[in-house]
Amino acid sequence: MDGMVDENGTVDPLAPSPPPVAISSVQSVIQPNQQSVIQTAANIQPVLGKGNVILVSKPNSVIQTPQGSLHALQVINVVETTASDDSYSDDESPKKRRDLLTRRPSYRKILNDLGGGEIAEPKVEQTSSEADSELSSHSIPYHTVIPAGAIQISSGEGGQSIHTLSMTNSGTAGAAIVQYAQGQEFFVPVMAQSGNITSGGGEDQARKREMRLLKNREAARECRRKKKEYIKCLENRVAVLENQNKALIDELKSLKELYCKQKTE
DNA sequence: ATGTACGCCCGTCAGGTTAG
DNA sequence: CTAACCTGACGGGCGTACAT
């Protein structure tokens, strides 16, 4: 996975990269058998666009990828001189392009682009036993609409253990706080005898609102969790890039020394 | 002990995005 | 088009560190 540098110069390791432009003839920055240490890549400039990634074949490098020694170079701040706004189709209107540039993709989109890899997506719908087994292992509160009263949820493989949930203020109208054994609390609308949620006037509306709030509450929690993961990922990416940068500087330094040595001989 | 600042987490709302 | 989802912003509660 290759990172992306946005307009502000911040690294976005999870941002989807445009299709890479594989250019095998591009010279690496460091070529032991070349006369110059630094090789310009003037021959490829016309194909470069902002956001393009060039895979550079570079043997003997300190950075090795699973694909060999392909390096992904992110091209940024390339001045667009050829295309005016008139040349874009409706889908590429300046506004839309600006939106694409300024809006960071949602965490879900980022994760989808990752192939559903790094951050586990909890199931949306699950049975109470499934949910409770998740509770047991991750301490993630499971929300569901349940009738007021004593609640026991079997959990674990084959339901070996029973978790007891105690409800506070369940006698009051509106809602109850369900307390999970590990200290997690969550809100559950109280069901009346008929199965409807008691809410005074506009029962259906109140029930819908409660459901919406409940879902949004969970969504917010999930969103924050993903955001944390994302930030952690960014921090890891920074560490990796700093190491790579250091290694490249060292490599350049040693090759420069070698070059100067050969020159004086 | 009390007050204050700070950080963290949470629930809610609003508005944008996505999926059907 | 619309319902569902996602996420930034906001305000509040709580715990901790520090000064008084």
Side-chain angles (χ1 to χ4, degrees):
Chain A
M1 178 185 62
D2 296 306
M4 188 174 224
V5 181
D6 66 17
E7 286 182 311
N8 302 322
T10 57
V11 179
D12 188 355
L14 300 177
S17 300
V21 182
I23 304 174
S24 59
S25 62
V26 175
Q27 300 294 333
S28 167
V29 172
I30 302 167
Q31 292 287 338
N33 297 327
Q34 300 295 325
Q35 279 194 329
S36 171
V37 173
I38 309 294
Q39 296 286 323
T40 61
N43 57 324
I44 62 158
Q45 266 184 342
V47 299
L48 293 182
K50 194 170 186 176
N52 283 346
V53 172
I54 305 171
L55 297 180
V56 182
S57 177
K58 182 173 174 288
N60 306 323
S61 167
V62 291
I63 302 170
Q64 300 293 327
T65 69
Q67 293 83 26
S69 294
L70 285 181
H71 283 223
L73 302 181
Q74 192 70 37
V75 180
I76 56 170
N77 296 330
V78 174
V79 179
E80 294 174 336
T81 56
T82 55
S84 69
D85 283 346
D86 295 341
S87 65
Y88 291 98
S89 65
D90 286 345
D91 286 345
E92 298 170 311
S93 66
K95 185 179 183 301
K96 202 146 195 174
R97 282 187 296 131
R98 193 162 49 242
D99 284 350
L100 284 172
L101 288 172
T102 54
R103 281 196 71 84
R104 183 183 51 73
S106 72
Y107 298 125
R108 176 198 265 191
K109 187 163 171 50
I110 291 168
L111 292 169
N112 283 345
D113 290 338
L114 272 174
E118 298 183 8
I119 304 174
E121 291 278 356
K123 289 174 190 170
V124 176
E125 291 288 328
Q126 49 191 347
T127 65
S128 62
S129 60
E130 284 171 338
D132 195 56
S133 63
E134 188 176 271
L135 266 176
S136 307
S137 55
H138 299 108
S139 297
I140 297 171
Y142 172 67
H143 297 179
T144 184
V145 178
I146 50 176
I151 302 160
Q152 283 191 329
I153 300 176
S154 64
S155 73
E157 313 294 326
Q160 299 112 320
S161 60
I162 300 286
H163 289 276
T164 303
L165 302 178
S166 60
M167 294 180 77
T168 58
N169 54 304
S170 55
T172 62
I177 302 297
V178 175
Q179 201 147 20
Y180 183 66
Q182 293 176 326
Q184 300 272 5
E185 271 185 8
F186 53 95
F187 176 90
V188 173
V190 173
M191 311 288 279
Q193 298 265 354
S194 63
N196 294 329
I197 295 173
T198 58
S199 59
E203 280 184 14
D204 196 47
Q205 263 192 328
R207 188 180 58 83
K208 277 183 181 172
R209 175 181 157 78
E210 285 305 333
M211 288 307 297
R212 187 165 44 80
L213 289 180
L214 189 66
K215 283 188 174 182
N216 190 242
R217 208 175 298 145
E218 287 185 74
R221 242 195 302 260
E222 184 64 12
C223 184
R224 284 173 183 131
R225 189 184 67 82
K226 284 180 185 172
K227 192 175 184 178
K228 268 188 173 179
E229 290 278 344
Y230 179 73
I231 289 169
K232 211 182 286 178
C233 211
L234 281 178
E235 288 168 350
N236 290 342
R237 180 72 176 163
V238 167
V240 166
L241 288 174
E242 278 175 348
N243 284 339
Q244 288 184 356
N245 194 34
K246 202 176 163 196
L248 282 170
I249 287 169
D250 288 346
E251 189 177 351
L252 179 62
K253 199 176 165 187
S254 62
L255 284 168
K256 267 185 179 173
E257 282 171 5
L258 188 67
Y259 173 73
C260 291
K261 206 173 163 185
Q262 284 179 345
K263 205 177 173 185
T264 52
E265 281 173 3

